[in-house]
Amino acid sequence: VQLVESGGGLVQPGGSLRISCTTSEFEFGSYEMTWVRQAPGKEPRWVSSIAIGSGRTSYTDSVKGRFTISINDAKNTLYLQMNNLQSEDTAMYYCSKTRDPYIETRKRPGQGTQVTVSS
């Protein structure tokens, strides 16, 4: 499965970014979709998921109230709106069909989208 992330960049603490994920191989609305991240020198971590049907969202505690996951079905695009970014959010971000943070990070090391929060 080919997932393509984009939208990362360098942002100052307190700033915002919206990252995106697309694929031509399946419809996002048919699966629970997830964002995971891997900070430099650290293990991958689950960040957020959005359920099919209900659209129920879930977040790791450290991003609750700051990040919002969503899907645009018409564009078949998964988003992660990140507000009030902090240095600890610096990581490579990957989208995934599973909450297991190791699947995409091991399959496509370095091919996510890099978010760097620094002044």
Side-chain angles (χ1 to χ4, degrees):
V1 174
Q2 183 68 22
L3 296 164
V4 180
E5 299 87 352
S6 63
L10 173 63
V11 62
Q12 293 185 344
S16 297
L17 275 177
R18 187 179 75 166
I19 58 177
S20 305
C21 172
T22 61
T23 184
S24 60
E25 299 189 5
F26 63 93
E27 294 182 357
F28 282 138
S30 299
Y31 296 89
E32 179 183 77
M33 291 303 298
T34 289
W35 285 100
V36 302
R37 67 186 180 185
Q38 185 167 21
K42 296 188 177 180
E43 295 297 310
R45 290 286 185 262
W46 171 78
V47 176
S48 178
S49 296
I50 183 165
I52 60 172
S54 68
R56 183 175 180 176
T57 58
S58 54
Y59 302 91
T60 192
D61 286 346
S62 63
V63 309
K64 282 181 181 177
R66 301 189 298 121
F67 289 13
T68 303
I69 188 172
S70 62
I71 291 176
N72 183 318
D73 290 324
K75 295 183 177 180
N76 203 38
T77 301
L78 176 72
Y79 298 104
L80 187 66
Q81 176 69 44
M82 304 181 291
N83 298 329
N84 190 23
L85 282 160
Q86 305 299 315
S87 58
E88 54 265 34
D89 298 315
T90 294
M92 185 73 71
Y93 286 72
Y94 301 80
C95 60
S96 175
K97 291 173 66 177
T98 172
R99 294 193 180 207
D100 184 338
Y102 290 88
I103 299 300
E104 293 297 328
T105 54
R106 287 177 174 171
K107 185 190 303 182
R108 304 183 289 122
Q111 295 181 32
T113 190
Q114 177 68 41
V115 173
T116 302
V117 184
S118 176
S119 55

